[in-house]
Amino acid sequence: MFMCPETAIAMRWHDSERPNDGNIRHPADGEAWKDFDSMHPNFSKDPRNVRLGLSSDGFNPFRTMSISHSTWPVMLMNYNLSPWICMKPEYMTLSMIIPGPSSPGQDIDVYLQPLIAELKELWEFGIETYDAHTNQTFQMRATLMWTISDFPALAMLSG
């Protein structure tokens, strides 16, 4: 995200360009974002640190109920970006696809373990990243702010 100068600038939108008029039009305007910033000032002092949302839901890719199959994409959304681009497909990350004859159920944690390990590493240590806008490297960290799902997926994701 930071290798393209235009995208590197867009990654700071929540900090530098977001209107501060009291209206809620982006998660950064909400209380959860502000509470997170007050609880984790070291993270929030660099606006390039990434705030993510995770979404997952199952579907039958064959469009027929006579074939028993379930596919669960796990997507990450980048909330550093403005509302008009953060939900565009080119800015979403398909983290994994969980295929199977049925939904993963309570075993979804087995599939999510590698993703959780990477997110923990990005939270605790970060990763050295090049910022093409400023022409310098920085230690980018990331956090998972929210999960977005329907109630059956929420039951699975929360264990």
Side-chain angles (χ1 to χ4, degrees):
M1 301 299 278
F2 289 96
M3 291 300 290
C4 171
E6 292 82 18
T7 308
I9 293 169
M11 289 291 289
R12 293 179 188 84
W13 180 89
H14 67 95
D15 184 65
S16 60
E17 296 180 44
R18 179 175 51 93
N20 195 3
D21 57 6
N23 292 325
I24 296 178
R25 57 176 63 88
H26 185 271
D29 298 321
E31 290 301 315
W33 189 294
K34 294 170 187 170
D35 289 345
F36 182 87
D37 282 353
S38 66
M39 289 189 317
H40 305 285
N42 288 336
F43 181 91
S44 58
K45 72 180 174 186
D46 190 345
R48 297 174 295 189
N49 286 331
V50 181
R51 295 159 194 258
L52 301 169
L54 181 141
S55 180
S56 184
D57 199 5
F59 68 96
N60 183 332
F62 303 113
R63 297 186 183 188
T64 175
M65 299 308 279
S66 63
I67 298 174
S68 175
H69 190 82
S70 176
T71 300
W72 284 73
V74 178
M75 307 288 295
L76 291 171
M77 278 71 65
N78 184 333
Y79 286 112
N80 285 40
L81 301 166
S82 65
W84 48 89
I85 63 172
C86 71
M87 293 298 168
K88 288 193 174 184
E90 57 266 28
Y91 294 105
M92 292 182 191
T93 302
L94 177 61
S95 175
M96 71 181 74
I97 297 176
I98 306 170
S102 62
S103 70
Q106 297 299 320
D107 294 331
I108 197 168
D109 61 331
V110 173
Y111 296 100
L112 293 176
Q113 279 180 340
L115 173 62
I116 300 302
E118 281 189 31
L119 288 171
K120 286 174 94 173
E121 184 176 337
L122 284 170
W123 169 252
E124 293 172 7
F125 309 109
I127 188 166
E128 189 173 342
T129 305
Y130 177 74
D131 184 340
H133 174 65
T134 61
N135 292 321
Q136 50 184 218
T137 60
F138 71 102
Q139 198 69 14
M140 183 194 76
R141 293 176 56 207
T143 187
L144 181 64
M145 295 282 289
W146 298 280
T147 60
I148 303 136
S149 57
D150 59 10
F151 284 116
L154 176 62
M156 278 188 252
L157 287 170
S158 66

